[in-house]
Amino acid sequence: MDKNKVLELVKPKLTAARFAHTERVVETALELARLYDVNQEDTILAAALHDYAKYRDVNEMANIIKEHQLPLNLLSYHHELWHGPVASILIETELSIANEAVQSAIFWHTTGSEGMTELEKVIYLADYIEPGRDFAGIETVRKKAYEHLNEACFLAVRNTIQFLAGREYLIYPETLKMYNDLKRKLEETI
Ligand SMILES: [Fe+2]
Ligand SMILES: [Fe+2]
């Protein structure tokens, strides 16, 4: 599907600022996809639709998690994490986009996971480094993103865990699994 057509599908669901973020995620994800040889069409769909459920009502998201057999442990963690898994369902039920690779990349963009596919990593990273993001350490991850996909994802999840732990927030188990998985993979390649 054409990039602009997919963006038009998500535009009514987002604020202007979140839509601008989404456009930047698409461009960043396409750069990474070219570099790491990831399917361009899947990248456009996943990047454009990754925040499709960002502004859904919390109760509606909780119901979708229960009704569609999404992991129930999500409900014990911050609802900010829910919009990825929920969007993976809604793009199929509301937009008729049934594409397992795309849905999985959208699902895991909020938490990360172990054994991530290249597409999942590209979306996770593009969301983290898009040019609108500005926080301590971002330049290091941005530079690494164009050199080594696993190393850059490791830095992103490491920073995220440091941020969460620093504020004594809960950390979703899959986020810790992503950290451990990438750490082991990077050690194996040394
Ligand atoms: Fe998101
Ligand atoms: Fe996002």
Side-chain angles (χ1 to χ4, degrees), residues 18 21 50-51 54 80 83-84 109-110 127:
R18 181 60 46 176
H21 155 75
H50 81 284
D51 276 341
K54 182 85 179 174
E80 176 58 32
H83 71 273
H109 91 268
T110 53
D127 193 29

